[in-house]
């Protein structure tokens, strides 16, 4: 599935605050990621300052091609390659000291839930493997953060709604607002997201390291 998109001319999104860092002294710079099959949200956190954040489609970093005749395997490979290029771009641009990746919460005692999410989990495992390999090549620490753990770190409640997480982040991190970036897909869907999820992951990783 391809997409029709308008990529921003700058990496800086309008909801990223330009305020000076609120951290006292050096702080670990963390790249938080929330990787989906089609798009990836990301946030760079340093101390209590959101340095930058955003959303990119996996094929934002690829030349447009006609993929109607591509096999499923070829499509997955193309998406992963685009995600790889996007993450290399972020790592080169922001030089994080740690990469924190969101991990899905799955109740393995619920057989049906596990089966329903098997394909999603498989895809996510592919992206996690690619991220770990990239981090290994660069000597970076990589940390998997379950969604419930990220929510608990931000709000104290592992089952918080996304709105509650966003509201809590507004109080805890130097950020002006969260504005979603929208993409029009070629099947008629409109998808939107912002970097709140990725920022929550970075925040939880920061708490893990005691910053």
């Amino acid at each position: 599935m391809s997409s029709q998109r308008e990529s921003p001319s700058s990496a800086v999104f309008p909801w990223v605050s330009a305020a000076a860092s609120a951290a006292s002294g050096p702080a670990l710079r963390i790249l938080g990621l929330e990787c989906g099959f089609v798009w990836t949200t990301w946030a760079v956190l340093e101390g209590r300052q959101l340095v930058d954040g955003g959303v990119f489609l996996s094929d934002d970093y690829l030349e447009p091609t006609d993929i109607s005749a591509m096999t499923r395997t070829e499509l997955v490979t193309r998406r992963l390659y685009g995600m790889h290029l996007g993450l290399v771009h972020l790592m080169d641009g922001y030089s994080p000291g740690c990469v924190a990746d969101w991990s899905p919460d799955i109740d393995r005692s619920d057989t049906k839930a596990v089966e329903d999410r098997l394909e999603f989990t498989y895809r996510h495992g592919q992206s996690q493997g690619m991220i770990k390999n990239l981090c290994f090549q660069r000597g970076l620490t990589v940390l998997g953060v379950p969604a419930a753990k990220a929510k608990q770190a931000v709000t104290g409640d592992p089952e918080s709604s996304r709105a509650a997480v966003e509201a809590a982040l507004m109080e805890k991190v130097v950020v002006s607002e969260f504005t979603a970036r929208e993409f029009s897909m070629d099947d008629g869907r409109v998808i939107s997201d912002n970097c709140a999820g990725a920022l929550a992951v970075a925040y939880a990783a920061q708490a893990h390291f005691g910053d």
Side-chain angles (χ1 to χ4, degrees), residues 126-158:
Q126 290 176 320
S127 65
Q128 281 187 317
M130 179 265 292
I131 292 168
K132 288 178 179 178
N133 184 55
L134 260 179
C135 290
F136 176 77
Q137 292 174 357
R138 292 168 176 252
L140 293 175
T141 298
V142 60
L143 183 68
V145 180
K149 184 176 180 180
K151 293 176 182 178
Q152 185 167 22
V154 176
T155 68
D157 180 0

Side-chain angles (χ1 to χ4, degrees), residues 41-86:
T41 68
W42 58 275
V44 179
L45 181 65
E46 187 171 334
R48 290 294 179 265
Q49 173 70 45
L50 174 61
V51 177
D52 200 356
V55 187
F56 69 83
L57 291 183
S58 297
D59 58 1
D60 267 350
Y61 293 88
L62 299 175
E63 291 298 323
T65 58
D66 181 8
I67 63 173
S68 59
M70 295 178 73
T71 66
R72 189 173 186 81
T73 299
E74 289 171 334
L75 179 57
V76 170
T77 301
R78 183 177 191 266
R79 296 297 189 194
L80 284 172
Y81 180 60
M83 186 186 297
H84 179 276
L85 292 180

Side-chain angles (χ1 to χ4, degrees), residues 100-153:
D101 177 32
W102 167 81
S103 299
D105 294 315
I106 298 178
D107 180 2
R108 299 192 181 278
S109 64
D110 186 340
T111 304
K112 186 177 186 305
V114 172
E115 291 175 349
D116 288 345
R117 299 195 63 171
L118 184 60
E119 184 175 3
F120 170 81
T121 305
Y122 175 68
R123 291 175 178 175
H124 188 76
Q126 290 176 320
S127 65
Q128 281 187 317
M130 179 265 292
I131 292 168
K132 288 178 179 178
N133 184 55
L134 260 179
C135 290
F136 176 77
Q137 292 174 357
R138 292 168 176 252
L140 293 175
T141 298
V142 60
L143 183 68
V145 180
K149 184 176 180 180
K151 293 176 182 178
Q152 185 167 22

